């Protein structure tokens, strides 16, 4: 039932900025913890940023101070604003949603959007 649609990926120069968006289709957006993960070839998927159902945020050390995650309940959307981008930020970025309440707490993943940081 729940689906995640990511958008906003692309090519950006080092030092530039890019915003990724993830829209959750379905009911109960406010009950989901949301997160962005990323994975590049030859590397394990890693957590980039997360925001809880009540707006508490957490960032990996690699992006702390440069990225900002937010959610818009009116649009069922979570946004990752990426500033001061570095080549090592190049990866496929995946949106994840996890339901926080109920006997079943399923986890959903988006299809991923490519971010390339290069001159």
């Amino acid at each position: 039932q729940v689906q995640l649609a990511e958008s906003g990926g692309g090519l950006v120069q080092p030092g530039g900025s890019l915003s990724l968006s993830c829209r959750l289709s379905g009911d109960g957006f406010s009950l989901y913890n949301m997160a962005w993960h990323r994975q590049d070839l030859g590397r394990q998927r890693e957590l980039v940023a997360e925001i809880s159902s009540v707006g508490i945020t957490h960032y990996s050390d690699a992006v702390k101070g440069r990225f900002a995650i937010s959610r818009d309940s009116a649009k069922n959307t979570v946004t990752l604003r990426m500033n001061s981008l570095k080549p090592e930020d190049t990866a496929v970025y995946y949106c994840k949603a996890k339901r926080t309440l109920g006997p079943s707490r399923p986890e959903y993943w988006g299809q991923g959007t490519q971010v390339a940081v290069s001159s």
Side-chain angles (χ1 to χ4, degrees):
Q1 184 68 38
V2 170
Q3 291 184 325
L4 302 177
E6 299 134 321
S7 62
L11 175 64
V12 63
Q13 294 184 339
S17 299
L18 199 65
S19 288
L20 305 181
S21 181
C22 173
R23 184 180 184 277
L24 183 147
S25 62
D27 298 327
F29 176 74
S30 64
L31 300 178
Y32 286 86
N33 291 334
M34 306 293 295
W36 286 96
H37 295 242
R38 68 186 182 187
Q39 184 173 24
D40 201 3
L41 290 177
R43 288 186 167 88
Q44 293 183 326
R45 188 172 297 187
E46 63 178 0
L47 173 67
V48 176
E50 57 188 352
I51 182 168
S52 75
S53 61
V54 294
I56 301 173
T57 60
H58 175 264
Y59 302 91
S60 70
D61 290 339
V63 308
K64 192 182 307 179
R66 299 188 296 118
F67 292 9
I69 189 170
S70 61
R71 60 194 297 157
D72 187 339
S73 60
K75 299 179 179 179
N76 282 14
T77 298
V78 61
T79 297
L80 184 68
R81 179 64 180 175
M82 305 182 292
N83 299 314
S84 302
L85 283 162
K86 305 174 180 180
E88 50 263 44
D89 295 319
T90 296
V92 177
Y93 285 71
Y94 298 90
C95 180
K96 186 188 77 174
K98 186 174 180 65
R99 188 175 172 89
T100 60
L101 295 177
S104 177
R105 302 185 180 184
E107 185 176 279
Y108 303 94
W109 290 87
Q111 81 287 349
T113 183
Q114 176 71 58
V115 173
V117 184
S118 176
S119 60

